[in-house]
Amino acid sequence: MTDRKAKTNSPSGEPRPALPIVEAAVSPEASSRPLWRSLDELTGSEEFWVWARREFPHGAAEFGDGVGRREFLRVMGAALAMAGLAGCARPPQTKIVPYVDQPENIKADRPLQFATAMALGGFGTGLLVRSNEGRPTKIEGNPSHPASLGAAGPFEQAAVLQLYDPDRSRTVLHDGNIEPHGAMLEAVLEEVERHRPEQGRHFRLLTGSVTSPALAAQIEALRATLPAMKWHQWEPISRWSIHQGAQLALGQLAEPDYRLENADVIVSLDYDFLFLAPDRLRLTKAFTSRRRFDQVGFLQPNALLVAEPTLTITGSMAQARLPMAAADMKWLAWTLGAQLGLGPSPARKAEGGVRLWLDTATAALREHRGRSLVLVGPGQDAETHALVHALNQALGNAGQTVVYRQPAAAQPVDHLASMAELVHDLESNAADGIVILGGNPVFTAPADFRLGEKLGRARFSLYLGLYEDETTACCRWHVPEQHFLEGWSDVRAVHGETSIVQPLIAPLYGGVSVHELMAAFLSQPAAQAHEIVREFWRQRLVPDGDFEKRWRQALSDGVIADTATPELGTSTGGGSLPGSARSEETAGQGYEVVFAPDPTIWDGQFANNAWLQELPKPFSKVTWGNPAIVSPAAAQELRVQNGDAIRIRHQGAEVEIPVWIQPGQAARTITLYLGNGRSRAGRVGDGVGVNTYRLRPSSGLWFCRDVEVTRSDRHAELAQTHLHHSLEGRDFFRVLPLTAFAQGKRAEGREPDPEQNQTLYGPASLNTAAYQWGMVINLTSCIGCSACVLACQAENNIPSVGAREVSRGREMHWIRVDHYFEGDPANPQVYQQPVPCMHCENAPCELVCPVEATLHSADGLNQQVYNRCVGTRYCSNNCPYKVRRFNFLQYADTATPSAQLVWNPQVTVRSRGVMEKCTYCVQRIRTAQIQAQEENRPIRDGEVIPACAQACPADAISFGNVADPKSHVSRLKTLASNYSMLGDLNTRPRTTYLARVEWDANPPASPCQRDTA
Amino acid sequence: MAQIFSPRVSLWFKTLLIIFPLALVGGGVAAYRFSFSSYATQVGVPVDQPVPFSHQHHVAGLGIDCQYCHSTVTKTADAGMPDTHTCMTCHSQIWTEAPVLQPVRNSLSSGLPIRWTRVHNLADYVYFNHRVHVNNGISCTKCHGDVQSMPLMKKQATLQMGWCLECHRHPAAAFAPPDAVFQPPQVFTLDWRLDADPEAKRAVLKKVADVPSVRELTDCSTCHR
Amino acid sequence: MKGFSGIYGVMGEFNSEGALREAARSAREHRYEQLDAFSPLPVEGLDEILGRTGSWAPAWVLTGGVIGGLTGYFLQFWGVGINYPFNVGGRPLDSWPLFIPITFELTILGGAVAAVLSLFVLNGLPQLHHPVFAVPGFERVTTDAFFLCILSTDPGFDPLLVRRFFMQETGAVAVTEMRR
Amino acid sequence: MGRKPAGLALSTGHRMIPGTAQSKEETRARAERAEEPPRLVQGVATFRSITEQISGIVLNRRHPRSWWIGFGLAFLLTMGLFYAISVLLAVGVGIWGINIPVAWGFAITNFVWWIGIGHAGTLISAILLLLLQKWRNSINRLAEAMTLFAVACAGMFPLLHLGRPWAFFWLLPYPNGMELWPQFRSALVWDVFAVSTYLTVSIFFWYTGLVPDVATLRDRAKNRFTRLIFGFMALGWRGSAKHWRNYESAYLLMAGLSTPLVLSVHSVVSFDFATAIVPGWHSTIFPPYFVAGAVYSGFAMVLNIIIPLRKWYRLENVVTEQHLDHMAKVMLATGLLLAYGYIFEIFFAWYSGDPTEQYSVVNRATGPYAPLFWLLLLVNVVLPQSLWWRSVRTRPVLLFFAALSVNVGMWMERFVIVVVSLNRDYLPSSWRMFTPTGWDWLTLVGSLGLFFALVFLFVRFLPMVTMFEVRDLLAKEKGKSS
C-alpha cells in the first residue's frame, strides 16, 4: 500500500495536485453569516472557481488505478468464475482437525480472559485480554486496576494488532547480518568480561523510564558487577518537570495524585490531563463523574478552566478556555498566583480576554478553597510546577484534591540531562559499550544530539527492539524484543500499583524478553523470564507463607494488593517558593512551535499500527499523517489553506509540512505532532506524515519561540474523515443551559418528534421480543477520546483502508466521533458527538433494501446480513445518519496469515461489495441470551455491554433493555435532556442522546490577537 | 413466386416456437430441483474418512453415548471432535493391531492430528450453536439422522436455510423429550411425537414456553452476525 | 369441395385497393362466402365487405392482464406477509400501497404477452408454407399488388365459374388457380 | 421478377389477357396518385417507389462511408466499455469515484438518463397512435429501435453498480432453498419489474410492427440466404385481410397497454428517489417531472439520430421538415413542463419550511457543484427556448444542436439530482464530494458507443422506416385528395 504516503514526503516537488477539500468550496455570501461552515469559507472561496475551471479534477489521475495486466487477467478469471458459479456451486470439501490431546478449558466459542498490563512511557495500565483458542483477539480495561478501572484507551486496545504485526523483527542481527541467538549471548558475555576490569566505567545502559521492579532489580545487580557503569534514561515525553517542581516546592521528588472527583473547580495551564497523564483513564472517569447529569437531582458539576496553546480534548471540555502561547503560560501562572496573593505580580498586566479569564479563574478558585485544583502540564518548567504546587497548598487543596506520592519510577531522573551526558560520553569515547533496551532513542532523541552518528563510535552497541527501526540502523547488534503479550514481566502504574505482565501467547517471532537479556549480562544466559519475575516476587510476596496463592491472586486480579507508592506529607517543608525570574518572558512577536505527542501514534512507537494510523485525530479528523496545527489568523497571514505546505526553520533544522487550520489555536502558535515520518517503521508506517523530531532541539523540548515560518508551494491531500465542522444551525446536536436542566426543561428540537404509529398504515407492533435493546449517549460527559472507535474496530473485525481510500471518503469505522465548532473561530465552542447506528424502529435503510439484507429483529436491532447483501448501497443513501459503511474494494486482508489471527471469530469477516454497520455487538447479545436461557434466568441489566460502552473511560455510552423500565438505560431515556437525533423524521432511533449541558455563563471572549503589554 | 419453405420446414419452425418457451420453463424447474438434489446437497452420500469410523458399530453396537466423543456438545457451539487420546482410551486395549486404526496410532506417535473429512459443513457466516439446541432438548437425530445405523457418516438434511427455518418456524414439533437427547434408546426415537407420552409432552411444552418466539427464532441475527 | 379437393382456391390479382374492394363486393353479390383478400396494407372497409369484423384479441388481452395482476399482488402478499414475514422499517406486513407498482407492471406484462400470442394464434402464424405463396407475382402483395381469393371450401365453388367471374365481373389483371 | 415496371406487370398474369382499356385507366390513376404529393410524403411517391427506396437501404450491399466511420467509432467505444466492465468485475465498484455519502454516482445517473431516452419510441408509437397523429408513421420504427437500445444500455447499469453483481438474481422472485423473496417494498425491486416489463413490451411492440415489413423484404430479397432469414422472421405473413384485422386490433391494444406503461416506468424510476428521505429526492413532483424529462430527452435523441440519417440515406421525402417541426414542438412542450418542475422544486423546498430541504436547493445553486447547476439551466432550459422559432425547428442543423444541448442537459440534470442531493444531506459531518474517476467516464462514453453501434447495425439490417404504414399514409392521403 504505497499509496499511503503523504505527498509532502516525496523529495521531488511534484506538481501541486488537485485541492482535495473541494468540500470547503462555498457560496460567497457564507462569510457574512454569523455561522460559518469551515475555515476555508472565511478565507474566501477561490477553490470554488479553481474547481469550476477544473471540472472533475481527479478523473484522469485515476485512470491508472485498477490493476496491472497480469494481475487483471488473474482477478478477471476469479471474478467471472464467481459470477458463473455463484448460483449453483456447492461448498468445497473441508477438513476437521481435532486435537491430538484436547487441552482443558480451551473451548471453541468460550473465550478466556487474562489479566495483564501494558506500559506506556514506563507506566502500566491494567488490562483484561480476551483469548480465543489461544489467540489474543481483544484488549479491554481491567476494572480492578486503579489506572484503568475497566476502561481502555486507543493505545492499549490497538496493542493486539501490534502483536501480530508481520513487520516486527524476527531475528538477531549483527551489523545487519542474521546471527544465531547463541552468538548474541556469547557477544554479551564477552562484552561484560571486557568491562569487568574497569568495573564498567565505559559501559552504558540506556532505557526508557523503568518502573518494572524485576527489571530494576536486575539493573541493580548489574551495577553490583559493574559498579562504574552508568544507567541513562530517555523518554521523549518526560515527566521530569513535574517531579522537579515538587522537589522545589516540597523538598522531595513527588508525583501528584489528583482527586478530580473532589474538585469543583479545575484550572489547567497547558495540561491535557485527559490525554497526557499516565493515569488518563482514571482521571477521565473521575473528571466525568462530575459531568454525568444523569439524574434529575444531579447539580454538582465541576467547572473547568483551561489555558492552552492548542485545542485539546481537555480544552474542549472547558467552560472557559483561553488560547495562549505555551511560552506565555509561565507569565499566566505567576499572574494567577499574584492575584491569589502568592508571589510577586509580574510587571506585564493582563488585558482583554486574558484579564477576563484570569478574573474568572481567580474568583472561582477563591470561592472553592479546598475543593479546587490547579494543574500545569509537563511542558512547563519546574518553577511553574513549584508555583502551582504552592498554589494548591495555599488554596488548601493539598490533601483534598491532590495528594503527593513517591514517583513510581525506579530511578526518576532528568531525562534530558541523562541523554546529554550519554551523548557527551559517546563523543569523548568515555563510553564504548552501550546497551539500549527498547524505545527507539535514535528517532526520538533531540535532533541536535545526533545520537545516531554518535552511537557509531561505540565498539559495542546492542539494541533490544520490537522492530528493526531507526535505532537498529545505528547499533551493531539488534535483538528482537518480545511483545508484552508474549512474555513475563511486571510494571507499576504511575502511583505504584504493580501488575504482573503475563503472556497470552508464545513469542510469534522468537522475541527475547528484556529480563532474559539482562540475565545474560548477569551471566545467567539460560534464565527464563517467567522464573526471573516469579523468583523476584517470591521474595516480595512471602509475608504470609503461601506464595502460590498470592501469586495466583496477583495474576487473576491483574494488580498486586497494596503496592501503591506511599503518600508524602503535604507540608511545604524545605521547599521555598522559587523566584519568578523568567516569569516575564513572553512568546514575543515571532511564531512559536509547540511539540506534542501524536494523538494516535504517541511518540512514534505505534507508527506501524494501521488501526491507530487510521484513527481520526480529534477535531481535525485527519488520519495517516500529522499536519502542522495553525490558527485561522496565522493561516490568513501565511495565505495557506488546509493541506498547503509550510516551511518551518529553527536552529538550522527545517521541515516542510502541510497545515491544518485549527479553530481555537493560539494565534501565533504552531503545534507539531511528534512520531510521524518514520523511515524504518514498517510497511504501514514508513513515510507517513512528517518527522517533526528533526526540529525538536534539546533547548526547547516542548516549545521554541521565534521560529521562521514560510509558505511552501506544495500541497498534500489530508486524509480526513470529516470535512465540515459547522452545525448549520440544525438541531441534531442539542444544548441545555444548566439552569434549564435544573428546572427539568426538555431538550426541544425545531420540530417535535412524531407520536408513535403516526403513520399512514396505523399501528404495526412488530417488536415482539421480551428484550428491546437501546442505547443512550451522554454528550456532556463524552470527551471525544475515540476509545470507542478503536474498541469497535477491534471487536468487529473492521478493516483499515489506508490514506487513499480515507481521502476518498471510504473509511470503515462503525462508530465515529463528530466534532463541531460554533462561534468565534479564534476560540470556538466545541461539541463532540459519537455517532453509531441508531437502530431506528422505522429504519429508512430497511425499506429500500431490495433483498432483505437489512431487516429489523424482534428485539429491535437493525440487522445487517452480510451474506445476503448485493451492494446496491441504497440503504446508505437513505440513512440520514450516514452510519453505514461499504466495502468498495476487498478491504479485509485475507492474504496475510498473521493479520487473520486478530479476527474475532464471533463476527463475520466482510468481503468486497458488502454493506456493514454497527450491530450493537449482536454477537455479545446472543451469547448473553444463550447463557441466560441456559441458566433459566433473565438477562441482567448491564450484562450485555457493547465494545464501545465497555471501553469508554467517561461512561458516556449506556446500553440495555429499554423494555424494562427499571434498567439503567430506560432511566436515562426518561430524563428531560434525552432526545432523538433527527427524531422529526419519524425514524424513532433506539440510540438517543442526553443533550449537552452547558454553563449559562458564556466562555470569555478570546484575545483575537495577543495583547503585548 | 415459388414457395420459400417446404411444409416440413414450416412444421418444424412452428414446433420449435412452441417448444422454446416450454424449454425455458422446464430448465428453470430443473435448476430448482437440482439445488435440492443429493448431488448439490450431498445428502445421503457417505464420505470417505482416513479411518472408516462406524457410528453404527460404536453407537448401536456398543451403545456409547454421543457425548463420550462429542464431549462439548452441551457446553459450546461446537459439538467437539474426539482427540486422538479419546480413541486410544479403548483402542490401546482392543484392536491394537487393526490396520484400519493405523492412522490413529500414527497420530498418537507423531503427535499430528487425524484429518477427518467434514460431513456437515455450514457456511462461515452461519453461527450454529449445538449447546443451545441440545440443552433445549433437540435430539441429535433431528438434524443428523439415525446416526446409529450409519456405517459411514452421511448427511441426512440439506442444511439449507429453508431446512433450518422448518424447525425455527415450528419449534414445538422439533422437541424430543428433554431427557431423550443422548441416552439410548430415546435418542434414536425418530418416531417420537409430541403426543407420544403426556408426561414428556408437559415437559416439552414447558420448554417451548421459555424458548424465544418464532419471530425471534426466524430473525436474521439468530444465525447471521 | 367434392370434385376440387386438390384445389385451394382461385386467386385474382388487382392493381389498386379500389379494384380489390370492387371485386370483393361483386364476389359477395355473387354469393361467394369463402373469400380471402391479400394486400400490402390494411384496406379500409374490406372487412365489412367480406363480412368478417371484430377480433378476439381484446378478450385475450383482458384475460392476460387480469392473470398478470393477480399473480403480482398475491406473489407479494404471500411472499412478505405469509411465507416469511419480516419487520421492514416498522411497516405492517400488509402494507398494500407498496405493492401497487409491481401489481401494475405485471398486469401490463400479462396483457402484452396475451396480445402477441393472440396475434400468432388468431392469424395461425407462423405459417411459412402456404398455397398462396405459389401464386405468380404474389411477392408483390407486400409491395403494391392486391389479391382476392375464392376458396375451394366455398359451397358454390367451381374453378371455371370462379375464373369467369374474376375475368368478367372484376378488373383482375391476372387470375390463378391454386393447388393445395 | 418484382423489379418489372408497373406497366409490364399487367402482362405477368397467367394466360388471360384482360381488356386493355381498364389497364390504361389504372396506369393513369397511378400517375395521378403521383401528381399531388401528400404533405407528409414528399416528391413523386408510389407504393412501389417508397417500398423500393426503403427496402433498398437494407437489401443493397453498398453503404455510405459515413455509416462505416460512424459504426467504427461506436464499435471502438463499445470495446472500451467492455474493458471497463471487466476491470469493474475484477476489482470492484471501488474503481469508481463513489463514496459515503455519495454512494450512487455515474452508474445510476446513466441509468436514469438512458431510461429517459428510452421513452420516446414507445411514446411516438403508442401515444401518437392513439392520438391519431399520422406524422408518427415514418419515424416510429427508428424511435422504437432506439428505445430498445437505450433501455438495454440503461438495464446494464443497475447490474453493474451492484457491489456483488453475480448475485443480481436475488432481486428476482424465484423459489429457492433460502425461502427468501425480494423485498417487494423496495423501489429498486419495482425498477426491476418496471424496466424488464418495459423492455419486453417494447420488443413485442417493435417486432409486431416489423413483421409486415420483413415480409416485404422477404419478397424483395434477391439472394436465397437473405430471403430465408427474412422468411423466418416474417413468420409467413401473407397480408391477408384476416391478418390485417387481428394485426390492427392487437397493435392498437398494445399501444393502449404501452401508454400507461411508458408513463409508469419513469414514475417508478423516480420512486427510487421520491420514496427515499434524502432532501432533494423526497418530493411528490418527481413522477410527472421525470416523465416529462424522459420524453424531452427521448425526442432529443431521436432528432440527433434521425437528422443525420435522413441526410445520409436521402430520406428527406419521408422524414420531412414537417416531421422535424412536430418533434421539435413536442420537445419544446416537455421542456417547459420540466422547467415548471424546476421551479416547483424550489417552491416546495421553501414551502415545506424544512431547513434541510431548503438547504439542498441552496446547495445546488451555490454549493460546490453550482457551476454544473447553472450550466444545466442554460443548456436544458434557456437554449431550447430557441425552438419557439419555426426557422429553428425546420432547420435540421440548428435543430440538431438544440437537441444535442438537451441531451447533455438532461444528463447533467440526472447528475445533479443523484449526486448533488447526496453530497450534503442531514449531518454536516458526513458531507463529502463525489469526483468521478476515469472508469466512470469510460463507462459512460462506452455505453454511448454501445448504443450507437446498435443503432448503426439496425439501420444496416432492418428497414428504419415502416413501409406498410407509409403506404397506408399514401393511401389515406389519396383518399383525402380524391
Side-chain angles (χ1 to χ4, degrees), chain A residues 23 720 810 848 852 874, chain D residues 96 181 186 272 277 424 432:
Chain A
E23 187 53 66
Q720 288 166 283
R810 297 173 178 182
V848 299
E852 288 138 349
Y874 198 0
Chain D
W96 293 341
W181 298 97
S186 163
D272 287 349
I277 63 172
R424 291 185 168 185
R432 232 177 219 289

Side-chain angles (χ1 to χ4, degrees), chain A residues 718-843:
Chain A
L718 304 177
Q720 288 166 283
T721 62
H722 181 156
L723 300 153
H724 212 84
H725 296 274
S726 152
L727 293 169
E728 291 293 334
R730 300 180 185 179
D731 64 357
F732 54 84
F733 189 102
R734 299 185 189 172
V735 175
L736 263 185
L738 191 48
T739 49
F741 176 82
Q743 297 152 5
K745 288 228 176 70
R746 301 203 70 79
E748 299 283 349
R750 193 183 47 80
E751 287 267 325
D753 296 359
E755 292 308 309
Q756 180 151 20
N757 298 325
Q758 185 173 327
T759 127
L760 286 176
Y761 299 108
S765 58
L766 295 158
N767 299 330
T768 52
Y771 299 97
Q772 295 296 327
W773 302 107
M775 181 183 275
V776 172
I777 298 177
N778 188 332
L779 295 176
T780 321
S781 53
C782 171
I783 63 169
C785 66
S786 301
C788 48
V789 179
L790 212 90
C792 179
Q793 182 155 31
E795 170 72 12
N796 293 302
N797 303 335
I798 298 173
S800 38
V801 298
R804 173 111 165 287
E805 290 295 296
V806 170
S807 56
R808 286 164 147 206
R810 297 173 178 182
E811 68 276 3
M812 297 298 284
H813 300 134
W814 284 2
I815 183 174
R816 62 175 196 261
V817 181
D818 290 347
H819 276 103
Y820 297 101
F821 303 126
E822 204 170 46
D824 174 5
N827 187 15
Q829 181 62 272
V830 183
Y831 300 125
Q832 50 267 83
Q833 183 175 37
V835 185
C837 173
M838 298 286 135
H839 291 267
C840 313
E841 287 176 7
N842 302 341

Side-chain angles (χ1 to χ4, degrees), chain B residues 1-10 13-14 17 161 165 169 215 217-220, chain C residues 83-86 93 120 124 126-139:
Chain B
M1 163 177 181
Q3 293 281 1
I4 306 176
F5 300 98
S6 71
R8 182 181 279 99
V9 178
S10 179
F13 189 62
K14 203 174 270 185
L17 276 195
M161 183 169 160
L165 284 170
R169 283 172 178 162
R215 175 151 287 147
L217 285 176
T218 54
D219 271 339
C220 315
Chain C
N83 177 245
Y84 202 154
F86 285 125
L93 297 176
F120 277 51
Q127 181 65 275
L128 300 186
H129 175 94
H130 193 280
V132 299
F133 287 130
V135 174
F138 192 75
E139 66 273 8

Side-chain angles (χ1 to χ4, degrees), chain A residues 16 170 310 442 548 575 828 868 936 980:
Chain A
R16 189 182 185 118
R170 301 158 184 250
T310 191
V442 169
E548 275 310 321
R868 176 70 175 174
N936 225 325
S980 311

Side-chain angles (χ1 to χ4, degrees), chain C residues 95-175:
Chain C
S95 46
W96 60 269
L98 293 166
F99 298 158
I100 293 172
I102 292 180
T103 311
F104 173 81
E105 298 298 340
L106 286 187
T107 313
I108 300 286
L109 185 61
V113 172
V116 174
L117 281 183
S118 73
L119 197 59
F120 277 51
V121 178
L122 298 177
N123 281 350
L125 295 178
Q127 181 65 275
L128 300 186
H129 175 94
H130 193 280
V132 299
F133 287 130
V135 174
F138 192 75
E139 66 273 8
R140 283 187 285 108
V141 78
T142 54
T143 304
D144 62 352
F146 299 79
F147 294 86
L148 182 69
C149 167
I150 299 178
L151 301 174
S152 62
T153 53
D154 191 288
F157 179 80
D158 174 328
L160 291 165
L161 294 176
V162 173
R163 275 195 200 173
R164 185 172 302 115
F165 161 73
F166 270 125
M167 286 182 290
Q168 295 174 357
E169 312 291 333
T170 74
V173 292
V175 179

